[in-house]
Every structure is written in structure tokens, then in C-alpha cells.
Amino acid sequence: MDLLGEELAAEDLQKICESKALDHLGLVAGMYDELEIGERIDEHISQDFEQREVSIGQAVKAMVVNGLGFVRQFLYLTPLFFESSPTERLIREGIEPEHLHDDTLGGALDSLYEYGVTELFREVLAHAIEQLGLNSRFAHLDATSFSFHGEYESETRSDESLEEGVIHVQQGYSRDHRPDLNQVVLDLMVEHQAGLPMLMEPLSGNTNDQGSFPELIDRHLSHLQRANGFDYVVPDSALYSADHIDDLDKAGTKFITRVPGTVEEARQVVEEADPEAMKPLTDGYRATALYSEYGDVHQRWLLVWSEEAEQRAVDQAAYQLEREHSEESRLAGDK
């Protein structure tokens, strides 16, 4: 009798004292809650909470935790991932691993797509920046690309047959020097103080910066300025054209960017520049300020001379001349 009583007590104790590892996922879930990401998602996307065991915001949290769990699993294996994790602590009390099945997560992804992932990301991040107390004057805009291996349906379909609004894996300008691979493009805007993303928009692989940057700014910049209060947008030279800077000026948006060498006025300024007449900045650098009315927009240009960059250009020109001379000598010898 005594032995049986001890065995039952041990079994009960094992059920009560169950241990599961949080690892770094506790920090991920804690920051998700601290920034109120789930609450903002659930506020923006209408859903019937009486019919859902897991809200869309909680489903997104589960996918974030799973995605940052250093595993590579298919969506339908998410419940298996959470079997070894304290699900109620990470997601919400009452949520069990079996609740996070692929129908729940897939339905949440469909709802996000229908609402608009770029618009939702913009709203959530504006609230997060406010929560963190960030107040940056500058917003940086740039694009990157992600290469993919394998075959994709968009390769064999014409541009006219591709569904509008759907991201297509296609060949385009490759930033990682793999033009042979298909890719998708990601436009990203971050605030200057902490580098926190404020706006993110995925695009098809053949999208170019000259087309996507102005469109993204037209659709989102005024809202971002009201929400985050930055003064300047800092893109690369893809945004700089007479039409684009005129649109920015009319919208009251200040910008800082590099003037491309394809602008005739800029090319002429560089050709006529005298480094000795420029004001010294620091060792090896000089600069002078100019004013331009390019695109009918009054703007200040800063022309910078770099001793190191000039030397690289001289070395590159000498190397190219040497290659051409060697090739000419080889051809003359063959004759």
C-alpha cells in the first residue's frame, strides 16, 4: 500500500512539474507583446472571435515564434514545433499546439493578404515606433533582391497573363550578381535612429527602382510622415528625375539623394570642378556647395572630391590601358 501511494504521488508530481525550454523565444514573444503587434493586427482586420480559437494576431505571433525558432518546417508542422515549447506562455493562455494547425495559420495569411500586407505593416510599425519613443528626422529607402532556384510558373507565362497584385518570381536586375537566377524584390524604408523598418513592400523580380520608388512614396509617404514625423526621405539616385523631384516638392517632401551622372547639368559640374578651389572637409576630402533649379525645383547640391576615389579612378584607367595595349600587341604578334 505504501509503495503504491509513492508511485501515484510521483506520477502526479510529474504532471504538475513539467519543464519546457523557452530559449530565446521568450524574448521574441515578449517583444511582440510589448509592441502590441497582435492587438494592432486584430484591431485592423475584422474577425469573429466567437468562431475563432486563435485570433489573427495570435496566429501571426505563432508564425513569428516558429520562424525565429531556428527551424525550417512546413506550415502544417507548426503544432509539432510547439509541442516542445510552452505554448500558453508564448502565445496565450488556453492556446494548445493543436490549435495552431495549417487551416488556422493559412486562414490568417489569407486575411492579411486581403487587407494588404504593406498597409498593415505600415500601421503596425508606426505604432511600434511610437511605443519605443523613436523620433527620427530621416527615413532611408532602398531595395534588395532575393534569388530563387528551381522552376516557377511565372517563367512560362506572358506579362499580360500574370495576375495583378501577385508577386512573381522572375529574372531582373540582380544585386547579388546572379542574373541567371529568378528573384523577387523588396523595397524597404527604415527610420534613421534605430534602423527600424517603417515600410516594406515585396515586388516581382523584374521590378526596377525607378518605377517602384516613386509609386511607393506616392501611396505611403504622407501617411508615414504624419505617423512618424520625419522630415527627409533618403533614397538612392533611382528616385532622382525631373518629374519625381517635382512631385516630391509639390507634396512638401524634402529629400536627400545622389544626383546621377546621367543628368547633363551634373556631368558638366563634375567635369569643370577644381578640387583646389573646394573647401577642405577632412583629410583627403574637399567639397563645395552649388545651387540648381533642375526639374524646376530649387535645391542645394554638394560636390565632394575624394583623393582616394580619384586615385582609384587613375589606377583603373591605367589598368584598362595596359590591358588594351597587351591585347593589341598580342594581335599584332599573331599577324
Side-chain angles (χ1 to χ4, degrees):
M1 292 292 292
D2 293 339
L3 179 60
L4 179 59
E6 290 179 2
E7 290 178 349
L8 291 176
E11 291 178 3
D12 292 338
L13 185 62
Q14 185 178 6
K15 292 178 181 178
I16 296 172
C17 300
E18 185 179 10
S19 175
K20 292 185 178 180
L22 274 174
D23 295 325
H24 65 290
L25 301 179
L27 297 175
V28 174
M31 184 55 70
Y32 188 95
D33 293 337
E34 180 72 18
L35 298 179
E36 301 177 352
I37 296 175
E39 288 87 342
R40 298 296 292 180
I41 292 175
D42 290 338
E43 286 177 8
H44 284 84
I45 300 180
S46 59
Q47 51 192 313
D48 188 352
F49 287 98
E50 293 183 357
Q51 301 296 322
R52 297 184 64 92
E53 192 78 41
V54 181
S55 75
I56 295 175
Q58 292 160 0
V60 171
K61 185 181 183 182
M63 287 184 278
V64 169
V65 170
N66 187 10
L68 296 177
F70 301 150
V71 296
R72 299 180 64 182
Q73 294 182 346
F74 294 105
L75 199 63
Y76 73 91
L77 293 177
T78 301
L80 183 62
F81 167 79
F82 279 98
E83 283 184 2
S84 59
S85 303
T87 308
E88 291 191 342
R89 294 293 301 274
L90 290 172
I91 309 302
R92 178 181 62 80
E93 187 176 351
I95 300 296
E96 300 291 340
E98 57 267 23
H99 296 149
L100 303 173
H101 49 74
D102 52 348
D103 287 341
T104 294
L105 304 184
L109 291 175
D110 289 339
S111 297
L112 295 177
Y113 173 77
E114 292 171 4
Y115 182 90
V117 291
T118 297
E119 290 74 15
L120 183 62
F121 187 89
R122 183 190 68 193
E123 299 289 343
V124 169
L125 264 297
H127 182 72
I129 289 173
E130 181 181 355
Q131 290 289 99
L132 294 172
L134 299 176
N135 184 20
S136 177
R137 295 184 60 202
F138 303 93
H140 295 259
L141 173 64
D142 206 348
T144 189
S145 56
F146 299 89
S147 298
F148 290 81
H149 296 266
E151 298 181 359
Y152 295 86
E153 183 180 346
S154 53
E155 293 181 80
T156 58
R157 298 173 63 181
S158 63
D159 292 340
E160 292 78 11
S161 66
L162 295 176
E163 184 180 350
E164 186 177 357
V166 177
I167 305 305
H168 298 286
V169 183
Q170 297 174 311
Q171 290 186 352
Y173 171 71
S174 176
R175 292 169 175 80
D176 53 3
H177 308 293
R178 288 300 306 269
D180 56 309
L181 296 180
N182 293 305
Q183 64 179 18
V184 295
V185 174
L186 182 70
D187 282 355
L188 183 67
M189 181 179 289
V190 302
E191 57 84 34
H192 176 73
Q193 190 173 350
L196 189 68
M198 295 189 298
L199 183 66
M200 180 170 59
E201 183 169 30
L203 300 164
S204 296
N206 61 351
T207 305
N208 60 66
D209 297 351
Q210 287 82 359
S212 68
F213 281 4
E215 181 182 352
L216 181 141
I217 286 177
D218 289 343
R219 289 195 291 122
H220 300 288
L221 192 61
S222 61
H223 177 91
L224 287 171
Q225 284 183 305
R226 289 194 303 270
N228 303 306
F230 63 84
D231 299 322
Y232 293 88
V233 60
V234 187
D236 65 17
S237 61
L239 185 68
Y240 194 92
S241 71
D243 292 338
H244 296 160
I245 64 174
D246 182 53
D247 291 341
L248 290 173
D249 183 61
K250 290 177 179 176
T253 302
K254 300 175 184 178
F255 61 89
I256 300 175
T257 186
R258 186 179 66 83
V259 180
T262 54
V263 175
E264 177 61 28
E265 182 182 346
R267 187 170 62 82
Q268 185 175 356
V269 166
V270 172
E271 290 178 352
E272 297 174 356
D274 179 11
E276 295 300 324
M278 295 182 181
K279 182 180 179 180
L281 291 178
T282 184
D283 291 342
Y285 289 92
R286 292 174 174 269
T288 186
L290 307 165
Y291 292 91
S292 172
E293 299 293 331
Y294 180 77
D296 295 327
V297 176
H298 183 67
Q299 53 198 291
R300 185 167 72 102
W301 287 3
L302 184 65
L303 180 63
V304 180
W305 172 83
S306 166
E307 182 180 6
E308 184 178 344
E310 183 177 82
Q311 187 60 50
R312 283 200 306 268
V314 171
D315 293 343
Q316 180 64 28
Y319 173 73
Q320 187 64 31
L321 286 174
E322 179 63 27
R323 285 191 59 184
E324 293 177 0
H325 177 72
S326 298
E327 182 65 16
E328 290 174 357
S329 298
R330 185 186 65 80
L331 293 175
D334 292 342
K335 294 179 180 180

